[in-house]
Amino acid sequence: MSAQAKIIDGKAYAAGLRERVETAVAKLKADHGLQPGLAVVLVGEDPASQVYVRNKHKQTLEAGMNSYEHRLDTSVSEGDLLALVEQLNTDPNVHGILVQLPLPDHIDTEKVINAINPDKDVDGFHVINAGRLATGQDALVACTPVGCVLLAKDALGSLSGLDAVIVGRSNIVGKPVAQLLLQESCTVTIAHSRTKDLPQVCRRADLLVAAVGRPEMIKGDWVKPGACVIDVGINRIEGENGKTRLVGDVDFASASEVAGSITPVPGGVGPMTIACLLRSTVLAACAQAGITAPEI
Ligand code: GUN
């Protein structure tokens, strides 16, 4: 019988992280009278975005923080959205700002993201934060990449010296994960859909991060025996009897026979994102108040 990988429980890790955030928030209130606040801006009616925003709101309140929701009509002008961002930039009760993506086509996403005060950019999407991360300065870092690295460290301990292969080169996952793993002293390869002999490149990885957005693309025989596999993909595919189901970018059935540890979909990286957002909001609030941030 072949070995079965340890399943990395992102849901449990995220619950523990949210508890640590809640404790940190209570202490900031008691010691400094500081209540971190997160503002989320949602434009339009995209159903998936509405679910995310509702969950963010609920979990922000549960952590003891202030949550400010701004829902704007799909037809809102770019100017009005930029004016709202500017108002949030100067609001002292707002320490984190997140503009939910995607935005409607008539709005320049890059312009809106880069209008956010970088010190309140809890998504870590602002070009200043990308630059700070790349140069090893204190930065707000995108939540999903942080979640990936926390889970990998939880599974493996020190990542120093490991061969890490990231499949996917997006600004919001692939590139920031690569920067974070470089900071952890991994030897980092960013592979992508045009990489020559992708299976062979993946087979080198002690730590394999899949963030390509292609359902079940990475097969068990692409995985080095004993490797840690972090699957960022969330793909809805047609299952049996016409029902849809969620799968990752990794073929879980075959990969879990080979890997040493692996994140499931759902229940792996997904639940980490909001927990990391709450953590980033606390860190941002401390930085803005000139307070040393607690260990979370
Ligand atoms: N839409 C889906 N995920 C995200 C995210 O992490 N941040 C933002 N701003 N929009 C999203």
Side-chain angles (χ1 to χ4, degrees):
M1 206 181 98
S2 41
Q4 281 292 330
K6 171 184 177 292
I7 308 297
I8 301 171
D9 187 346
K11 209 170 152 187
Y13 191 102
L17 182 52
R18 285 198 305 272
E19 259 176 43
R20 295 199 293 281
V21 168
E22 195 179 333
T23 306
V25 169
K27 193 161 161 43
L28 285 176
K29 271 194 226 173
D31 294 355
H32 302 279
L34 174 64
Q35 181 162 25
L38 172 66
V40 174
V41 180
L42 173 62
V43 180
E45 312 274 321
D46 179 63
S49 291
Q50 285 181 328
V51 173
Y52 282 135
V53 168
R54 205 179 313 130
N55 288 336
K56 282 170 194 161
H57 179 66
K58 183 168 168 279
Q59 293 185 28
T60 305
L61 293 175
E62 280 169 3
M65 297 196 268
N66 286 320
S67 174
Y68 308 98
E69 254 188 57
H70 294 268
R71 291 172 179 262
L72 303 176
D73 196 83
T74 325
S75 64
V76 70
S77 71
E78 187 179 280
D80 284 352
L81 179 55
L82 289 168
L84 173 59
V85 168
E86 192 44 42
Q87 181 201 315
L88 298 172
N89 280 343
T90 54
D91 184 337
N93 294 316
V94 171
H95 305 95
I97 302 170
L98 182 145
V99 177
Q100 184 69 26
L101 303 181
L103 290 170
D105 290 345
H106 67 277
I107 292 175
D108 181 343
T109 300
E110 208 167 283
K111 194 167 169 186
V112 172
I113 296 300
N114 288 328
I116 297 171
N117 175 346
D119 297 333
K120 295 190 175 186
D121 166 41
V122 281
D123 253 334
F125 292 171
H126 194 293
V127 69
I128 293 273
N129 279 315
R132 285 177 180 161
L133 175 65
T135 53
Q137 298 176 50
D138 273 348
L140 288 167
V141 184
C143 302
T144 301
V146 171
C148 290
V149 174
L150 288 175
L151 291 181
K153 285 170 81 169
D154 191 50
L156 294 173
S158 168
L159 306 181
S160 179
L162 297 185
D163 276 320
V165 174
I166 298 138
V167 189
R169 53 175 157 177
S170 72
N171 289 336
I172 61 171
V173 184
K175 286 178 197 164
V177 168
Q179 298 290 358
L180 290 172
L181 292 177
L182 201 51
Q183 280 181 8
E184 296 293 331
S185 302
C186 291
T187 302
V188 176
T189 302
I190 304 180
H192 45 79
S193 54
R194 305 276 180 90
T195 295
K196 222 175 354 153
D197 200 355
L198 184 57
Q200 191 56 32
V201 172
C202 290
R203 255 175 242 129
R204 289 208 306 257
D206 303 306
L207 171 57
L208 182 61
V209 180
V212 260
R214 299 213 188 158
E216 300 177 320
M217 184 177 94
I218 292 169
K219 308 296 180 195
D221 64 355
W222 299 23
V223 175
K224 178 175 174 173
C228 173
V229 178
I230 304 288
D231 189 352
V232 185
I234 300 179
N235 309 288
R236 197 169 280 284
I237 64 164
E238 188 91 7
E240 275 126 53
N241 22 329
K243 283 191 182 158
T244 63
R245 64 189 179 98
L246 284 185
V247 298
D249 292 348
V250 176
D251 177 21
F252 185 86
S254 62
S256 61
E257 299 277 315
V258 186
S261 52
I262 186 167
T263 57
V265 177
V269 175
M272 293 295 288
T273 300
I274 297 181
C276 290
L277 174 70
L278 303 179
R279 176 178 177 267
S280 290
T281 304
V282 172
L283 300 181
C286 290
Q288 285 158 49
I291 296 168
T292 307
E295 275 294 316
I296 310 175

